Amino acid sequence: MSLLQRILSSLGGKDPRKELEERELELLEANVSLTTIERLKESLEKGKSLKEALKEFLKEGRIEGSPVILLVGTNGSGKTTVLAKLSSWFMEKGTPVTAAAADTFRAGSIEQLEEWARKVGFELVKYHYGADPAAVAYEAVKRRKGAVIIDTAGRQETRGDLMRELQKIKKVVNPDLTLMVVDATQGVAALEQAKRFDEKVGVDGFIVTKLDVDEKGGLILSLAVETRKPIYFVSYGQTLDTFSPFSAEDYLNNLL
Ligand SMILES: Nc1nc2c(ncn2[C@@H]2O[C@H](COP(=O)(O)OP(=O)(O)O)[C@@H](O)[C@H]2O)c(=O)[nH]1
Ligand SMILES: [Mg+2]
């Protein structure tokens, strides 16, 4: 049970607005940001139930057809693992996937994708370490047979040069979707990172990972409220099957 679940399940329900206010510190601890708490209180003031108030913020991102998807995010957030899981998801629906090993920076990243490509069966376009990531991504789009998923090196949102590199990839391949992979255990730091990535590169939505090891539970809600962007998928483990399209209903049923 996450901290947020514990807090919400112990609310008496008589005056939820007041209760939220009284338990603000605990909510912050559960990765529910201050802005998020304020917005929830406003909704409750308008007479909405807590479930309705939560639900109006949670948007489900849905993928149609065979898009070109650019995965971005900080180091270790789970981008490469998500690429494998998302490929498997597409392929189960009969859509072939061409992946681009555009993380040409981190040692071992290309081998990690080669291993996933063998397991999952997607086509992998790779160059060599130090190659221009935009060139790898471009090649994958050129050779595509279905969907394209582009892995990128992790980067801090404060590194201007690395953010410009993402802008370049985006300009060269013009992806249908830029999805940021966010580690739920990073808490409020992830929220700030998400805002910066969106400002600098433009993000269409999120894939939230490591929910299996997240003890707090509130990051999805805070991301949804503060960015107003949809959550596309959730990841909750290291195997291919621990990955699903985000369901607001499931998230809420789990919480309340
Ligand atoms: N527990 C857990 N671990 C994950 C999840 N997603 C990724 N990981 C692990 O997090 C680490 C970093 O993942 P990776 O995909 O290499 O991150 P990247 O640097 O963003 O490409 C690896 O050890 C993954 O197995 C998840 O949903 N749950
Ligand atoms: Mg990676």
Side-chain angles (χ1 to χ4, degrees), residues 73-82 85 103 106 112 116 151-154 181 208-213 234-238 242:
T74 57
N75 261 324
S77 63
K79 295 175 295 301
T80 304
T81 311
V82 159
K85 292 175 169 188
D103 176 356
R106 211 200 68 196
Q112 188 187 357
W116 277 122
D151 192 22
T152 59
V181 178
V208 182
T209 63
K210 309 197 190 183
L211 290 169
D212 53 317
V213 288
V234 287
S235 165
Y236 38 87
Q238 318 218 26
T242 50

Side-chain angles (χ1 to χ4, degrees), residues 19-72:
E19 283 180 294
L20 285 190
E21 198 153 281
E22 283 166 2
R23 304 189 68 174
E24 204 156 87
L25 283 178
E26 280 171 87
L27 287 164
L28 286 171
E29 179 61 30
N31 289 340
V32 181
S33 71
L34 211 51
T35 308
T36 306
I37 299 172
E38 288 309 318
R39 302 293 298 286
L40 283 178
K41 287 197 296 198
E42 284 163 22
S43 296
L44 292 172
E45 265 163 39
K46 289 181 199 150
K48 291 203 162 87
S49 71
L50 186 58
K51 185 166 182 178
E52 287 166 341
L54 291 167
K55 195 161 184 178
E56 76 180 326
F57 293 115
L58 296 167
K59 289 194 219 111
E60 298 169 346
R62 288 295 176 257
I63 290 185
E64 308 280 336
S66 305
V68 175
I69 300 175
L70 176 66
L71 297 177
V72 302

